[in-house]
Amino acid sequence: MKLNFVFFFSEMASHIVGYPRMGPKRELKFALESFWDKKSSAEDLQKVAADLRSAIWKQMADAGIKYIPSNTFSYYDQVLDATSMLGAVPSRYGWNGGEIGFDTYFSMARGNASVPAMEMTKWFDTNYHFIVPELGPDVNFSYASHKAVDEYKEAKSLGVDTVPILVGPVSYLLLSKPAKGVEKTFSLLSLLPKILPIYKEVISELKAAGASWIQFDEPTLVLDLDSHQLQAFTAAYADLESALSGLNVLIETYFADLTTEAYKTLVGLKGVTAYGLDLVRGTQTIDLVKAGFPEGKYLFAGVVDGRNIWANDLASSLNTLQQLEAIVGKDKLVVSTSCSLLHTAVDLVNETKLDDEIKSWLAFAAQKVVEVNALAKALAGQKDEAFFAANDAAQASRKSSPRVTNEAVQKAAAALKGSDHRRATNVSARLDAQQKKLNLPVLPTTTIGSFPQTLELRRVRREFKANKISENDYVKAIKEEIKKVVDLQEELDIDVLVHGEPERNDMVEYFGEQLSGFAFTVNGWVQSYGSRCVKPPIIYGDVSRPKPMTVFWSSTAQSMTQRPMKGMLTGPVTILNWSFVRNDQPRFETCYQIALAIKDEVEDLEKAGINVIQIDEAALREGLPLRKSEHTFYLKWAVHSFRITNCGVQDTTQIHTHMCYSNFNDIIHSIIDMDADVITIENSRSDEKLLSVFREGVKYGAGIGPGVYDIHSPRIPSTEEIADRINKMLAVLETNILWVNPDCGLKTRKYAEVKPALNNMVAAAKLLRTQLASAK
């Protein structure tokens, strides 16, 4: 059935870089998990996906968006989609050619019973993840997924002419890694001549299907690239020029400024019609446009923030657009989002519990689509005065609201600048004092914090929030869950226990709900990877801790065992980076405020008798700016924030931290400077990449637990496999500092997977202890 959408404002040049995939109520998440659990068919999953795509296209068409994207939808992530399109399937998955189906696709993403998943890492400096392509000189590329063409045709059959989006060929290669067994020095860009023929096939099919525009996402252009890398863009698009003839071609960049050299490369690309620039995070890029923009080309101006939830300052954006219009021409300027709206929540309409004042300050993806079109209309002389006036009032309300400012908090944060907040004793002496108190074996075992979140547990939390069960019944149920988790760990003979976090739906949301200056949504879900969604809190004002947040549950858990029980906290940098952060003051000022709140909690846990406290900084690397020139400043305040949280504890209190799924090697010295007693860190899914830094001579004197198995895969590793991983660690790390633990928390797994995996992990640690003892 055709929807036959009418573009009332077709002369208004408006564009959306990409859109959230999960659906307003996480429809895709539940469909994926049902399919993975074999409770529904591939056809059922495809039907949910088609309905979501149709709704998204209709929404944008109804809003008057001219350039509507397609192929932004994904069952897992867009880079994995590109890997499938290119047929770049690692041989271990047993793919024998033809169109890639769900079995192969999800095996690459999640692993299967016999082989592990591909590496997953953060998408630039966001909390979104992508599956890292594994490439080498022997990869036989082939056109193996027609998804981009199929989705374009699907939209067209509904009456919507879209702009199909592909991950650009150069960014695809720059985001890849040499496959196992391939020399690390192998030039991934040398594969350009092998993948461009497939891009040409896709382009040819899109042209035949009637496409008039095509968008290539080349976000790596915002990185610090050398001349060889920049030349690859020039060479790639020169090669594609004849294939692209007859199409309008948009090259989209986002997340940061372009360097002068990258800008010159971008605007000099052959066969390109338009350039998409992030003018929110790329605050200096507008100066490059003012200094020179190619005549006759389109500028897709990303003035509406795709990574935050604050309502756009329409008057300010319109002023920026008018300046740009004078440079590029009225008919060549397109109003756009700064990046894909994948990184923001779906629709503010679904938020029924936010108070009206805070709600007036916000715009989710659906509202940003309206903002884009409102700016395009205003630029074309059809300004909606009432809409702009309401926006002006909301901006003024936010600036003047007394709930935003807490003078006592600001004064306390300002006072932090006179000290670096280091613990008085060095880590070696602290570890000795802690060992005397804790009496742990060699290769102590632990987990990262969370245990499986069962349906029953979720029901209890949901009913308590809805006032359907009493607080007494809720506390009783959570205590029973903690006891179950404690008993299981003792049965498995784990050395340092956790309480499993049954009271928490999310590690950031839980703390934000108990801190002042935060607001929360009901349906503000954002995709992190695959079916994993998070609901970032909104930091709208100054942050403080009104009362203890975790002491009751940690103390309760410790009373159930004689073994050490970790107090579990989320660190200030991770709370910051996994929230929608206020944009009216520098991020570091907000981070210092959070650090002071966590410091209060750490000291209360210590007073309650908790001797091991984990302060997760899973997102510290994620927040690292994309440009090297900005690294030092960020790492200085981020590491300082962590040290603030625990600078006041006794030597005998052991401070752990945890990091996951990023490239840590380039910040290892900053990790050491955090001065934690023990760090647990993702390692297994990235082929022990972390260990290479120690092979290269970096000395690490604190405790360290590189993950011994990947918790994001349902696969259960054997005792021998884990023992082999531990032996690789022992080759580069001292025995007395090595811990044995999974890569990350266990909340996304099932007990049927967790129990045997942890049993094998403990067995591997015991096996190595025996071998080490007999070797003495």
Side-chain angles (χ1 to χ4, degrees):
M1 180 186 76
K2 284 199 173 188
L3 298 175
N4 295 319
F5 303 130
V6 178
F7 294 97
F8 292 105
F9 306 114
S10 59
E11 72 278 13
M12 314 304 174
S14 52
H15 167 251
I16 304 298
V17 177
Y19 202 80
R21 307 159 181 156
M22 285 290 113
K25 295 186 178 176
R26 297 181 291 163
E27 291 89 341
L28 181 60
K29 167 189 171 66
F30 299 121
L32 281 167
E33 291 173 354
S34 177
F35 174 70
W36 292 336
D37 290 342
K38 296 182 169 43
K39 294 177 180 176
S40 61
S41 67
E43 291 74 20
D44 294 330
L45 175 57
Q46 290 164 335
K47 172 68 165 57
V48 170
D51 288 347
L52 286 170
R53 288 193 295 268
S54 174
I56 290 166
W57 291 326
K58 179 181 188 306
Q59 178 187 0
M60 284 193 249
D62 287 348
I65 299 299
K66 182 175 182 180
Y67 300 106
I68 297 173
S70 62
N71 199 39
T72 61
F73 181 89
S74 178
Y75 288 105
Y76 212 89
D77 97 82
Q78 72 272 20
V79 180
L80 184 60
D81 292 349
T83 293
S84 298
M85 181 185 84
L86 296 168
V89 181
S91 59
R92 65 181 178 274
Y93 298 108
W95 176 66
N96 295 315
E99 189 81 3
I100 289 175
F102 281 155
D103 282 352
T104 300
Y105 182 86
F106 288 128
S107 289
M108 289 191 286
R110 308 176 71 238
N112 58 42
S114 56
V115 292
M118 295 168 70
E119 179 183 353
M120 181 171 71
T121 196
K122 295 292 174 74
W123 177 246
F124 294 82
D125 57 348
T126 74
N127 186 31
Y128 181 70
H129 301 65
F130 73 98
I131 303 298
V132 182
E134 303 172 11
L135 306 178
D138 298 328
V139 175
N140 294 314
F141 296 99
S142 63
Y143 187 11
S145 171
H146 293 67
K147 176 179 174 293
V149 178
D150 291 344
E151 288 189 16
Y152 174 79
K153 290 178 178 178
E154 180 185 337
K156 194 169 184 182
S157 73
L158 296 171
V160 185
D161 189 21
T162 59
V163 179
I165 299 178
L166 301 177
V167 175
V170 183
S171 287
Y172 177 79
L173 293 177
L174 290 176
L175 292 168
S176 301
K177 70 174 186 178
K180 204 165 189 177
V182 175
E183 288 292 327
K184 298 304 178 188
T185 56
F186 174 71
S187 172
L188 293 161
L189 290 176
S190 68
L191 297 173
L192 259 179
K194 292 188 175 183
I195 68 171
L196 290 178
I198 296 160
Y199 275 88
K200 289 175 185 176
E201 287 188 68
V202 180
I203 292 163
S204 175
E205 288 193 5
L206 286 169
K207 286 168 74 171
S212 58
W213 279 84
I214 186 170
Q215 175 178 320
F216 292 98
D217 280 6
E218 294 282 13
T220 56
L221 273 166
V222 306
L223 303 177
D224 292 308
L225 302 179
D226 60 33
S227 58
H228 172 67
Q229 292 167 323
L230 290 173
Q231 177 58 32
F233 288 93
T234 302
Y237 287 93
D239 192 314
L240 292 174
E241 183 180 13
S242 60
L244 291 168
S245 177
L247 280 174
N248 291 297
V249 179
L250 166 63
I251 306 295
E252 186 67 50
T253 69
Y254 36 78
F255 297 154
D257 282 304
L258 295 168
T259 62
T260 301
E261 294 76 15
Y263 180 75
K264 287 178 181 175
T265 299
L266 173 64
V267 298
L269 296 178
K270 301 274 191 180
V272 174
T273 316
Y275 315 102
L277 302 176
D278 182 341
L279 301 180
V280 177
R281 293 194 171 226
T283 55
Q284 309 301 314
T285 297
I286 194 168
D287 294 332
L288 296 172
V289 176
K290 289 177 179 177
F293 191 80
E295 188 175 352
K297 303 292 186 180
Y298 289 84
L299 172 59
F300 281 59
V303 294
V304 173
D305 193 351
R307 286 185 58 175
N308 217 325
I309 43 64
W310 303 109
N312 184 273
D313 185 339
L314 295 178
S316 175
S317 292
L318 184 58
N319 179 58
T320 298
L321 291 164
Q322 287 166 341
Q323 293 178 50
L324 292 169
E325 185 181 61
I327 298 166
V328 306
K330 194 176 189 68
D331 62 336
K332 298 297 182 185
L333 184 62
V334 179
V335 183
S336 183
T337 54
S338 64
C339 62
S340 173
L341 297 176
L342 171 70
H343 309 288
T344 190
V346 178
D347 196 341
L348 197 55
V349 169
N350 297 318
E351 301 308 322
T352 55
K353 295 187 178 179
L354 278 172
D355 70 69
D356 289 341
E357 182 182 35
I358 290 178
K359 201 169 181 179
S360 74
W361 302 342
L362 307 178
F364 291 0
Q367 288 69 47
K368 289 177 186 291
V369 169
V370 175
E371 288 179 339
V372 166
N373 196 57
L375 286 165
K377 287 174 64 181
L379 202 59
Q382 298 180 32
K383 184 178 180 183
D384 185 334
E385 297 291 352
F387 189 74
F388 271 69
N391 178 263
D392 286 342
Q395 299 293 324
S397 161
R398 187 174 163 217
K399 287 175 183 174
S400 62
S401 175
R403 68 200 300 181
V404 170
T405 305
N406 182 322
E407 288 186 14
V409 170
Q410 292 195 349
K411 191 176 292 185
L416 294 171
K417 294 169 185 174
S419 168
D420 64 0
H421 297 89
R422 292 184 184 275
R423 292 170 76 177
T425 311
N426 68 44
V427 69
S428 178
R430 297 198 309 262
L431 288 173
D432 287 345
Q434 291 156 14
Q435 179 59 16
K436 286 175 184 173
K437 187 166 191 174
L438 300 173
N439 193 29
L440 297 172
V442 171
L443 305 180
T445 54
T446 190
T447 65
I448 304 306
S450 61
F451 265 64
Q453 300 265 316
T454 63
L455 291 174
E456 174 62 17
L457 181 56
R458 293 178 190 277
R459 181 193 64 77
V460 167
R461 282 202 308 263
R462 188 170 58 248
E463 291 188 354
F464 178 59
K465 280 197 169 185
N467 296 316
K468 291 182 178 178
I469 61 173
S470 69
E471 184 173 1
N472 285 340
D473 288 342
Y474 171 74
V475 169
K476 180 184 176 188
I478 297 299
K479 282 183 175 180
E480 288 173 355
E481 184 69 19
I482 292 172
K483 185 70 167 73
K484 182 174 78 173
V485 169
V486 170
D487 289 348
L488 173 61
Q489 291 172 93
E490 290 193 325
E491 177 189 327
L492 292 167
D493 205 16
I494 291 172
D495 300 303
V496 176
L497 310 190
V498 298
H499 76 289
E501 304 176 10
E503 78 283 13
R504 308 177 195 181
N505 178 64
D506 176 86
M507 62 187 284
V508 173
E509 182 182 4
Y510 175 80
F511 290 98
E513 284 178 336
Q514 300 180 78
L515 294 169
S516 64
F518 282 76
F520 290 87
T521 63
V522 175
N523 287 300
W525 297 100
V526 179
Q527 185 182 17
S528 179
Y529 61 86
S531 68
R532 169 78 171 139
C533 297
V534 294
K535 197 164 50 166
I538 298 165
I539 306 177
Y540 67 83
D542 291 333
V543 177
S544 62
R545 185 197 72 145
K547 61 183 181 179
M549 302 179 286
T550 65
V551 175
F552 173 76
W553 296 118
S554 292
S555 300
T556 297
Q558 184 63 82
S559 71
M560 297 175 179
T561 180
Q562 295 300 308
R563 301 186 185 209
M565 175 64 63
K566 282 198 280 192
M568 299 300 305
L569 305 175
T570 303
V573 185
T574 297
I575 290 177
L576 183 88
N577 286 335
W578 286 356
S579 298
F580 291 125
V581 183
R582 58 190 294 190
N583 57 2
D584 59 345
Q585 70 177 15
R587 288 173 71 88
F588 71 85
E589 290 186 12
T590 303
C591 198
Y592 283 157
Q593 293 177 1
I594 302 169
L596 286 172
I598 300 300
K599 180 176 186 289
D600 290 343
E601 188 71 13
V602 168
E603 291 171 5
D604 280 349
L605 281 168
E606 184 183 57
K607 288 173 190 170
I610 303 301
N611 296 315
V612 182
I613 303 171
Q614 181 169 308
I615 308 166
D616 285 344
E617 283 295 13
L620 187 138
R621 173 61 176 80
E622 173 187 311
L624 190 70
L626 300 177
R627 306 298 284 280
K628 290 177 183 175
S629 60
E630 300 170 21
H631 286 190
T632 300
F633 179 66
Y634 167 78
L635 289 169
K636 183 178 179 181
W637 64 254
V639 170
H640 186 193
S641 295
F642 176 82
R643 289 202 306 262
I644 288 166
T645 65
N646 60 86
C647 63
V649 301
Q650 300 172 30
D651 288 354
T652 51
T653 297
Q654 190 167 85
I655 299 296
H656 289 222
T657 190
H658 171 68
M659 296 182 177
C660 57
Y661 298 99
S662 281
N663 181 9
F664 300 107
N665 293 25
D666 55 350
I667 64 162
I668 191 65
H669 293 289
S670 294
I671 291 173
I672 294 170
D673 198 38
M674 291 170 72
D675 199 29
D677 297 310
V678 178
I679 179 170
T680 53
I681 197 163
E682 183 275 326
N683 172 69
S684 65
R685 188 157 181 168
S686 56
D687 296 328
E688 288 98 21
K689 188 191 300 179
L690 173 71
L691 299 185
S692 66
V693 98
F694 302 112
R695 294 189 192 102
E696 291 161 9
V698 171
K699 298 299 181 187
Y700 193 77
I704 183 166
V708 297
Y709 78 90
D710 174 25
I711 64 86
H712 290 299
S713 169
R715 183 173 169 271
I716 298 165
S718 67
T719 299
E720 294 73 23
E721 180 182 331
I722 295 173
D724 181 60
R725 280 216 165 96
I726 297 171
N727 270 319
K728 288 179 181 176
M729 297 170 193
L730 288 170
V732 293
L733 293 166
E734 296 295 328
T735 306
N736 64 332
I737 67 169
L738 187 61
W739 285 63
V740 177
N741 46 262
D743 264 347
C744 204
L746 304 170
K747 69 186 296 180
T748 60
R749 301 268 54 89
K750 297 178 173 61
Y751 273 104
E753 300 157 350
V754 165
K755 289 178 182 179
L758 289 180
N759 185 67
N760 292 348
M761 182 188 83
V762 173
K766 289 181 176 180
L767 174 66
L768 268 295
R769 286 174 197 158
T770 302
Q771 291 176 1
L772 289 168
S774 63
K776 286 185 179 178

